[in-house]
Amino acid sequence: MQGQTFDSILIVIAAAAVGVLVQALVFWLLRHAFRRHTIAEKLLQRTRNVAPSATALVGVLLASPALHFGLRATAFLHELVTVVSIAIIAWALIVLTHAAEDIVQARYEVSTADNLHARRIQTRTAVLRRVVTVIILVLTTSSALMTFPAVRALGASLLASAGLIGLVAGIAAQPVLSNLIAGLQIALTEPIRIDDIVVVNGDWGTIEEIAATFVVVRIWDLRRLILPLSYFLQNPIENWTYRDAEILGYAYVYADYRVSVDAMRTELKRILEQSPDWDKKTWNLQVTSLDERAVQMRALFSAQDSTHRWNLIVQVQEQLIAFLRETYPEYLPMTRVEVRPHPSAPEASSK
């Protein structure tokens, strides 16, 4: 009996090893056959960890008729193989969801100028992939527990108190559930998307990641702002790329009342035409305010995205100031003081 058990253990180890070797050989052939195929490469890269476990399990199942264990050992092995099979299937499904997300990201690049559609697809894919992962984990855990008779028997007694347990769990998991529901709302209604330019709490940044329960905003100074998903549905935010990446920029210039607005307008046009950051769609310069000291002029211009907009703001401000300083220094803002003689003061005698 001990000899049969030892032989069965050797068969299990040999079958698993053969399965792993077959998987390695098949993957080697596939990598060489599809080395220039992007989708196949991503699938192979994602499944390279789960595939050995799956093929080892298949090898053990194929060799099971040759095993000779005792009744208790056979029952234990059967339960173990069932649980491992469920775990490997869940692992494989999660890996496939990641591979599907990789394929979508490769097909819809957000690095292009007009990337609204790509950001929309990537956002939906990322949120739905996380939701599907949570569902797979819940179903896997439930299936694995139901394979044990003791747990199935315990389920009958727990069913009677399901209402109380559900109430307690609902109260305890309210923040998590609200964020999961908010994730589905964001995926469907799209108030924000990956790579959107947003202003949150006065901070300008980019949506870097949309996770299952939170959003990562990369601030302009490379800080990361972590916010729950529900925040973006309950609080006002600025989304500069909601419809498209095109955006208007402006710069204010102050000058003396004697300034020629037409000359400033001509200089602004020259600056924009020489700048590669201007999209050549919209520009204007207007007097927007007056006070006792200076004239306020607003230079308005369009750009294809927020990065080019910021570059244009800096260029326009620097070059308009240089234009005033070098060409019309007398037009810079100044404070006028008028000195009049006092009426009682004697007139100065002429010499």
Side-chain angles (χ1 to χ4, degrees):
M1 185 67 181
Q2 292 181 352
Q4 290 181 347
T5 302
F6 182 74
D7 293 340
S8 298
I9 294 175
L10 291 179
I11 291 173
V12 170
I13 296 174
V18 170
V20 173
L21 291 175
V22 170
Q23 175 270 328
L25 177 61
V26 171
F27 265 53
W28 182 83
L29 293 174
L30 291 176
R31 278 197 300 268
H32 284 74
F34 299 100
R35 59 180 178 274
R36 296 183 180 179
H37 198 281
T38 304
I39 296 178
E41 287 182 353
K42 290 186 177 296
L43 285 174
L44 292 174
Q45 184 178 4
R46 281 291 185 180
T47 57
R48 70 179 185 274
N49 292 326
V50 67
S53 301
T55 53
L57 179 64
V58 172
V60 173
L61 292 176
L62 292 176
S64 59
L67 302 179
H68 299 284
F69 290 107
L71 293 178
R72 296 182 61 183
T74 301
F76 173 76
L77 183 62
H78 176 73
E79 292 182 356
L80 179 62
V81 169
T82 302
V83 173
V84 172
S85 300
I86 294 174
I88 290 177
I89 292 173
W91 186 10
L93 291 175
I94 293 174
V95 166
L96 289 177
T97 59
H98 281 275
E101 184 181 15
D102 291 341
I103 294 171
V104 171
Q105 290 179 352
R107 182 173 180 181
Y108 298 94
E109 292 285 347
V110 297
S111 57
T112 58
D114 187 11
N115 60 0
L116 176 61
H117 182 64
R119 290 186 288 109
R120 177 178 298 169
I121 296 297
Q122 285 204 15
T123 301
R124 289 180 177 178
T125 304
V127 174
L128 292 177
R129 193 265 301 168
R130 289 175 173 85
V131 173
V132 170
T133 299
V134 172
I135 294 174
I136 291 174
L137 291 175
V138 172
L139 294 178
T140 301
T141 305
S142 303
S143 301
L145 291 176
M146 292 302 293
T147 59
F148 299 98
V151 177
R152 286 200 301 267
L154 183 62
S157 60
L158 292 177
L159 187 61
S161 57
L164 179 60
I165 294 175
L167 179 61
V168 174
I171 296 174
Q174 184 177 1
V176 177
L177 293 176
S178 64
N179 283 307
L180 287 175
I181 295 173
L184 290 175
Q185 288 181 274
I186 287 176
L188 296 175
T189 60
E190 298 179 348
I192 58 172
R193 293 173 293 266
I194 293 175
D195 208 42
D196 264 347
I197 306 298
V198 296
V199 178
V200 182
N201 288 335
D203 290 319
W204 179 92
T206 305
I207 301 295
E208 185 176 53
E209 180 184 357
I210 301 178
T213 57
F214 62 88
V215 176
V216 180
V217 181
R218 186 179 70 247
I219 308 302
W220 64 272
D221 57 2
L222 301 184
R223 291 177 295 142
R224 264 61 174 182
L225 188 64
I226 313 297
L227 296 169
L229 280 169
S230 57
Y231 176 90
F232 292 87
L233 299 178
Q234 299 172 359
N235 297 278
I237 63 170
E238 293 183 31
N239 190 335
W240 291 6
T241 53
Y242 182 72
R243 292 298 182 187
D244 50 43
E246 185 178 352
I247 191 170
L248 293 177
Y250 57 88
Y252 289 104
V253 181
Y254 297 86
D256 188 71
Y257 270 77
R258 296 173 296 170
V259 68
S260 172
V261 178
D262 290 336
M264 296 292 293
R265 188 175 291 120
T266 302
E267 178 63 15
L268 173 63
K269 184 178 181 181
R270 185 194 67 81
I271 294 170
L272 294 175
E273 288 178 344
Q274 294 181 355
S275 175
D277 296 301
W278 184 45
D279 62 2
K280 297 179 173 54
K281 291 184 178 180
T282 303
W283 76 277
N284 199 358
L285 185 138
Q286 295 174 315
V287 175
T288 54
S289 180
L290 303 171
D291 61 20
E292 68 277 5
R293 294 185 59 242
V295 174
Q296 180 193 74
M297 293 172 286
R298 185 187 66 183
L300 188 68
F301 36 82
S302 59
Q304 64 180 3
D305 56 39
S306 59
T307 301
H308 292 84
R309 171 186 180 270
W310 173 252
N311 293 336
L312 271 177
I313 291 175
V314 174
Q315 295 171 24
V316 168
Q317 291 180 152
E318 292 178 352
Q319 296 187 39
L320 283 182
I321 292 174
F323 173 74
L324 280 175
R325 185 179 62 249
E326 297 170 3
T327 309
Y328 303 103
E330 68 275 12
Y331 292 167
L332 293 173
M334 62 180 64
T335 301
R336 294 179 174 83
V337 178
E338 184 178 359
V339 180
R340 295 183 179 182
H342 196 274
S344 61
E347 294 183 359
S349 60
S350 60
K351 294 183 179 181

